[in-house]
Amino acid sequence: MSSPSLQRSDAPLAVSAVPVTTPTIRKPSALYGFMAGGIAACGAVTITNPAEVIKTRLQLQGELMRQAPGTTRIYTSFPQAFVHIAKYEGIRGLQRGLGCAYMYQILMNGTRLGLYDPIKHSIHSLFQTDPAKNNNLVNIVAGGTGGVLSAALASPLFLVKTRLQSYSSHEASRVGFQHYYRHTFDALRHIYKHEGLRGLYRGVDASMMRTGAGSSVQLPLYDVVKQNLIKVGGLENGALCHGLSSLISGFFLCIVMNPFDIISTRMYNQAPDPVTGRGGILYKSPLDCAVKTIRAEGVQALYKGFTAHYFRIGPHTIFTFVFMEQVKALFERLDLY
């Protein structure tokens, strides 16, 4: 009988099985995402609201009319429009509708940006896919879904914001139909009194298409560009990376969204029926608006105000995402997000 000390030492050792667990990714909080998106968007719109005013007026200028040869328009370019409004209406004119813009940004961008990560997480959970891996299709669906929901929710504020920004106190600077309201709540009260709930949600279909299309491009593209700038470009995940990602995604967002933006602006600002005081007299639907605009002004009319739109959407995208990343980082340090 062999001694235990003489037993073979090369026998395989028994190793107890230790389960390897993959760290789970916690579902992002829609509430704190809403807060981060809303705070970031309010910071951004303070800076970019003048460009939004200029964009709105450029889009309404020459509505359903071809420009006669030799005629001069009130607004000829973004810099000229900025100087013109500042000269005749002052800083108040450039920041027209800012209070309503804050409320709109909180409701719309808070919802849109706040729901983006939770919707992505839910889709991954539904199809049992890895949320840590980038999936463009999931990103597009999540961005578009959040955009449509946020536009439906915030449509009355977009309606009022458009009308406040299109109004000019200087008669020679007026374009489009002029709706005069003292402030946001006066506008909401007036519209509801004369047109009911349906009046407050006039143009919601155009807004949903606008924001849905924009979000399906902006949010996924921002993710992709940021990841590539980090992996390929070697940038740190910081303010420079976020700013460049926003600038690039903002340009493509503007290309996709400008036609929808033209349509929604005109749907919202059209004059009410002179007999009933309800509805709009120019367009029956977003498709009707697009067809009439192209017939009267040409296809290029769908890109009216493109430069002003980018000067608005580019910096707005940059500041929104940079601010949002900082707010989210703060929430994460507080273990809230």
Side-chain angles (χ1 to χ4, degrees), residues 97-119:
L98 181 61
C100 185
Y102 282 139
M103 290 184 276
Y104 171 71
Q105 291 296 330
I106 290 172
L107 199 55
M108 194 277 286
N109 271 318
T111 302
R112 182 176 72 97
L113 300 175
L115 288 178
Y116 179 57
D117 284 334
I119 290 175

Side-chain angles (χ1 to χ4, degrees), residues 57-71:
R57 297 191 184 181
L58 285 168
Q59 290 178 340
L60 292 171
Q61 183 171 238
E63 187 173 14
L64 299 185
M65 295 186 296
R66 288 191 182 274
Q67 184 177 6
T71 58

Side-chain angles (χ1 to χ4, degrees), residues 174-222:
R174 293 173 178 172
V175 292
F177 186 82
Q178 298 288 286
H179 299 268
Y180 173 71
Y181 307 114
R182 288 175 296 161
H183 47 70
T184 302
F185 296 107
D186 177 55
L188 293 170
R189 181 196 61 78
H190 184 275
I191 296 168
Y192 181 76
K193 179 181 178 181
H194 291 88
E195 302 180 58
L197 190 62
R198 185 175 181 179
L200 286 173
Y201 278 89
R202 181 199 301 170
V204 65
D205 45 359
S207 181
M208 289 168 70
M209 289 188 286
R210 169 191 178 273
T211 312
S215 293
S216 66
V217 173
Q218 181 190 36
L219 299 175
L221 188 59
Y222 175 81

Side-chain angles (χ1 to χ4, degrees), residues 2-317:
S2 60
S3 167
S5 61
L6 298 179
Q7 290 179 356
R8 292 180 57 183
S9 60
D10 58 347
L13 298 175
V15 180
S16 60
V18 178
V20 179
T21 58
T22 303
T24 57
I25 297 178
R26 184 174 63 178
K27 183 177 180 178
S29 166
L31 173 61
Y32 290 112
F34 176 90
M35 292 171 60
I39 292 169
C42 282
V45 80
T46 305
I47 301 166
T48 62
N49 194 64
E52 178 80 356
V53 172
I54 294 169
K55 172 191 72 73
T56 299
R57 297 191 184 181
L58 285 168
Q59 290 178 340
L60 292 171
Q61 183 171 238
E63 187 173 14
L64 299 185
M65 295 186 296
R66 288 191 182 274
Q67 184 177 6
T71 58
T72 304
R73 296 196 168 191
I74 300 170
Y75 308 110
T76 57
S77 65
F78 179 85
Q80 181 272 340
F82 185 94
V83 172
H84 181 95
I85 296 172
K87 178 180 179 181
Y88 293 107
E89 300 176 61
I91 188 66
R92 185 175 181 179
L94 288 170
Q95 288 288 18
R96 195 170 293 280
L98 181 61
C100 185
Y102 282 139
M103 290 184 276
Y104 171 71
Q105 291 296 330
I106 290 172
L107 199 55
M108 194 277 286
N109 271 318
T111 302
R112 182 176 72 97
L113 300 175
L115 288 178
Y116 179 57
D117 284 334
I119 290 175
K120 279 201 305 181
H121 191 279
S122 296
I123 295 173
H124 283 296
S125 297
L126 179 64
F127 292 100
Q128 298 295 308
T129 52
D130 185 1
K133 293 182 179 179
N134 185 59
N135 186 309
N136 291 331
L137 180 59
V138 171
N139 295 347
I140 290 170
V141 172
T145 302
V148 168
L149 292 174
S150 66
L153 188 64
S155 184
L157 290 171
F158 192 10
L159 169 72
V160 172
K161 179 178 71 71
T162 300
R163 293 183 177 183
L164 289 172
Q165 291 174 336
S166 65
Y167 176 79
S168 175
S169 57
H170 183 245
E171 188 173 351
S173 302
R174 293 173 178 172
V175 292
F177 186 82
Q178 298 288 286
H179 299 268
Y180 173 71
Y181 307 114
R182 288 175 296 161
H183 47 70
T184 302
F185 296 107
D186 177 55
L188 293 170
R189 181 196 61 78
H190 184 275
I191 296 168
Y192 181 76
K193 179 181 178 181
H194 291 88
E195 302 180 58
L197 190 62
R198 185 175 181 179
L200 286 173
Y201 278 89
R202 181 199 301 170
V204 65
D205 45 359
S207 181
M208 289 168 70
M209 289 188 286
R210 169 191 178 273
T211 312
S215 293
S216 66
V217 173
Q218 181 190 36
L219 299 175
L221 188 59
Y222 175 81
D223 276 351
V224 171
V225 173
K226 184 175 77 170
Q227 290 169 11
N228 278 279
L229 286 175
I230 294 170
K231 293 179 181 178
V232 180
L235 293 182
E236 292 184 2
N237 187 14
L240 176 61
C241 177
H242 303 158
L244 289 174
S245 303
S246 303
L247 194 64
I248 295 169
S249 63
F251 176 74
F252 288 100
L253 167 67
C254 205
I255 291 174
V256 171
M257 207 163 93
N258 208 83
F260 296 100
D261 202 56
I262 287 274
I263 293 168
S264 61
T265 296
R266 293 186 171 189
M267 288 283 293
Y268 280 137
N269 196 66
Q270 61 182 321
D273 188 288
V275 178
T276 64
R278 296 174 176 268
I281 60 173
L282 292 181
Y283 316 110
K284 297 177 182 178
S285 66
L287 179 60
D288 182 51
C289 179
V291 170
K292 286 180 176 177
T293 298
I294 293 171
R295 283 178 178 171
E297 303 169 64
V299 178
Q300 66 273 16
L302 296 178
Y303 280 91
K304 274 187 173 183
F306 180 85
T307 303
H309 194 186
Y310 184 65
F311 280 146
R312 181 261 171 186
I313 209 72
H316 189 275
T317 305

